[in-house]
Structures are given as C-alpha cells and as structure tokens.
Amino acid sequence: MEKAIGIIEKKIRDASWEDVKNVFDTFRHLAATLKQDKENILYLIEDKLGMLCLKAKEMVKDFEEKEIQRTKQCLHDFFGKSPDTNSTVLRNEMQKIIKQEIGKGFDVFQNDFERAILKNMQETVDHLLRHTRDMIREFETALEILFEIPMGQFEYSMDIYKDGNFYCIVQEHTTTSGNKFHSILHSFLSQPARRKLVLHEMISEIASNVSSNCDRILCDATSGICATIEYYTRQLKGLGNDPIARIEQAMQEGITQRSAENGISKLVHRKLLTA
C-alpha cells in the first residue's frame, strides 16, 4: 500500500489539470458507491438476521407447548401408577419427576436449537460476506484502473462459531406449597382428594417452569443474533475506510506539491477541484 500511495502522489503532481480533476471526481464517485453498497449490505444483514430472531421465537414457542404437554403426561402417568402413595410423598416424587423431565427435555432441545440457529446465522453471514468480497473486489479493480497501479487486497471473513455464546440454564423445580389456605384445605380433604389437589398444583407449576426456561433460551439466542448484527455492522462500516483516507491524503499531498511547484496557492487548486 505504501508504494501505491507514493505513486498516487506522483500521478496527481505530474498529470494535467484536466486529468487531476477527472481522477478526483472519479475517486469521489467510487468512494460514494462503496459507502452505498455497504449500507445496502447492512440493511440485508439486519433484515435477514432479524428474521432469524422470529424463527427462534417460533421454534421456542413450539417446543414450549410440546414440552408442557409431555411433562404433564409424565405426571399423569406417575399419578395413575401410584394409587396408594400419600399426598406428601406424591408431591416430593412429582417434584423430582418435573426436575428430571425438564432437564432432560431442555438438554436435547438446547443442542438441536443452538445448532439450527448457529447454522442459519453462519449461512446468512457467509452469503452476505460473498457479496461483501465481490463489492470490495470491484472497488479495488476500479482503483487499479483509475490509478494504473496494483492495490493491496482487502481480506474480510467472519466465523460466528468462534463467538457463539448461546446457553441454557435449566431452572430447578423447587416450588412447594406453603400456602396457609392449602394447608387448612388439606386437613379437611380425604386422601384421594389431597392427591388430586397435589396433581393439580404440580401441573400448574409445569407451565411456569417450562416457560421461564424457554424465555431464558430465547433471550440468549436473541442476544447472540443481535451481537452478531452489531459485530457485522461495526466491521462493515469500517471496511475500506483506511485505504480511502490514505488515498485521499496522497491526492491532497500531490495537490500540495503541485501548488508549490507551480506557484499557485493550494486554496485555488481546491476551488478548481470543486468547480
């Protein structure tokens, strides 16, 4: 790049004034086009990864509904197989079942969900990176033609798997009935009625437990997707800015040298360039 900068300075210093003005105009057009192309890609990444957030929400919601029904069925099955178990033991055993089933269900879903989301994210990023590299190559080619010199290659890649930070913490089912109303009610109920009340309470807790874990998974996934969008945006906004700034500086330096050699003020040259 350093060699190219020196050649650009000399080209601006030695070329005819008409050629200098054409170079300035063309370069400004190329820089503006690159900026617009980057903005278009930023719009695409926000749109496509934003849609992935909706897909993640749908996946979690579908799992939540199925997991609640599955865990409820496990409790019903246990309830039916334990007709002689008193309400206290029944409650303790059901709490163990809920904790075990939620942990098992979420372990399987978490792995499948993370793989699916990360795969979709990587495919989206790879697709847009190909557009980005094509855009940069076109910009480089245009600069090489404009200044008649080889330009250094811009490399740009991104592997989201290295920064993947999705995780799920399964919330333990620890809710117990300490409600005075329930305690008083239990004392007046028969053992079969107490058992049914315990089943009703445990089933009510399942939905809350599963939903809280689903909310955590969705929050982690959404945060990861948004972090990817922010990272991509930050990287893409800066892409090409340094060579553009250095070329502009080289062109201005060529104008300064040209002005000094011709005895014309730099301000006059700048006015002519913007005319």
Side-chain angles (χ1 to χ4, degrees), residues 129-146:
L129 281 176
R130 284 194 292 271
H131 283 285
T132 302
R133 285 191 284 267
D134 290 343
M135 172 190 73
I136 290 298
R137 287 193 190 99
E138 290 178 3
F139 180 66
E140 290 174 343
T141 300
L143 290 181
E144 290 177 348
I145 293 172
L146 177 63

Side-chain angles (χ1 to χ4, degrees), residues 68 71-72 75 90-104 106 169-178 197-213 216:
I68 288 174
T71 311
K72 282 182 179 180
L75 291 190
L90 186 67
R91 181 189 303 280
N92 292 336
E93 291 301 315
M94 283 187 170
Q95 286 178 339
K96 292 178 183 178
I97 291 172
I98 291 174
K99 180 179 178 180
Q100 176 183 333
E101 291 302 321
I102 287 181
K104 181 171 64 177
F106 273 88
I169 303 174
V170 177
Q171 192 177 45
E172 294 185 2
H173 184 91
T174 57
T175 303
T176 57
S177 178
L197 182 59
V198 168
L199 177 62
H200 174 74
E201 290 173 354
M202 293 297 98
I203 287 177
S204 296
E205 291 296 334
I206 288 173
S208 174
N209 230 258
V210 172
S211 295
S212 64
N213 281 286
R216 183 174 288 109

Side-chain angles (χ1 to χ4, degrees), residues 1-13 147 149-151 242-251 253-254 257:
M1 189 68 184
E2 295 298 331
K3 183 178 180 181
I5 292 299
I7 295 174
I8 290 172
E9 288 182 8
K10 186 176 186 303
K11 183 178 181 67
I12 296 299
R13 185 181 68 240
F147 295 112
I149 53 173
M151 301 295 295
D242 180 64
I244 287 176
R246 295 182 68 185
I247 291 171
E248 286 181 339
Q249 183 177 1
M251 294 170 71
E253 182 61 30
Q257 296 174 13

Side-chain angles (χ1 to χ4, degrees), residues 24-263:
F24 264 83
D25 290 343
T26 303
F27 179 74
R28 286 168 180 158
H29 174 73
L30 292 175
T33 300
L34 178 64
K35 181 180 179 181
Q36 184 60 55
D37 287 343
K38 290 194 297 182
E39 289 177 355
N40 291 340
I41 292 179
L42 284 174
Y43 173 80
L44 288 174
I45 192 70
E46 291 176 3
D47 180 59
K48 290 185 178 297
L49 291 184
M51 290 176 65
L52 189 55
C53 286
L54 296 178
K55 180 177 180 179
K57 185 175 181 180
E58 292 174 358
M59 291 174 66
V60 171
K61 185 64 178 176
D62 182 60
F63 167 75
E64 180 179 354
E65 293 173 354
K66 292 178 180 178
E67 186 65 4
I68 288 174
Q69 292 304 316
R70 187 188 70 81
T71 311
K72 282 182 179 180
Q73 188 59 52
C74 289
L75 291 190
H76 279 292
D77 292 345
F78 178 77
F79 183 82
K81 294 175 182 178
S82 310
D84 300 325
T85 306
N86 67 49
S87 60
T88 301
V89 174
L90 186 67
R91 181 189 303 280
N92 292 336
E93 291 301 315
M94 283 187 170
Q95 286 178 339
K96 292 178 183 178
I97 291 172
I98 291 174
K99 180 179 178 180
Q100 176 183 333
E101 291 302 321
I102 287 181
K104 181 171 64 177
F106 273 88
D107 281 345
V108 174
F109 174 71
Q110 179 188 353
N111 291 331
D112 294 342
F113 175 76
E114 288 185 0
R115 276 198 299 268
I117 293 299
L118 285 171
K119 180 181 179 183
N120 272 275
M121 288 176 66
Q122 189 67 62
E123 287 175 349
T124 300
V125 169
D126 286 346
H127 174 71
L128 292 172
L129 281 176
R130 284 194 292 271
H131 283 285
T132 302
R133 285 191 284 267
D134 290 343
M135 172 190 73
I136 290 298
R137 287 193 190 99
E138 290 178 3
F139 180 66
E140 290 174 343
T141 300
L143 290 181
E144 290 177 348
I145 293 172
L146 177 63
F147 295 112
E148 299 176 337
I149 53 173
M151 301 295 295
Q153 296 296 306
F154 299 108
E155 294 297 332
Y156 189 55
S157 63
M158 180 178 174
D159 185 355
I160 64 170
Y161 287 100
K162 293 180 180 179
D163 299 318
N165 193 32
F166 301 123
Y167 59 90
C168 166
I169 303 174
V170 177
Q171 192 177 45
E172 294 185 2
H173 184 91
T174 57
T175 303
T176 57
S177 178
N179 190 292
K180 291 183 178 180
F181 172 75
H182 286 157
S183 298
I184 295 172
L185 184 60
H186 283 188
S187 64
F188 289 97
L189 294 175
S190 63
Q191 188 61 236
R194 291 180 189 178
R195 283 168 44 82
K196 288 183 179 180
L197 182 59
V198 168
L199 177 62
H200 174 74
E201 290 173 354
M202 293 297 98
I203 287 177
S204 296
E205 291 296 334
I206 288 173
S208 174
N209 230 258
V210 172
S211 295
S212 64
N213 281 286
C214 284
D215 289 344
R216 183 174 288 109
I217 282 183
L218 184 59
C219 181
D220 291 341
T222 302
S223 296
I225 294 169
C226 290
T228 301
I229 293 175
E230 291 173 2
Y231 175 81
Y232 193 103
T233 299
R234 187 168 59 252
Q235 295 295 317
L236 191 57
K237 281 184 176 179
L239 190 62
N241 289 350
D242 180 64
I244 287 176
R246 295 182 68 185
I247 291 171
E248 286 181 339
Q249 183 177 1
M251 294 170 71
Q252 292 298 336
E253 182 61 30
I255 285 292
T256 300
Q257 296 174 13
R258 183 190 189 90
S259 301
E261 291 173 1
N262 297 336

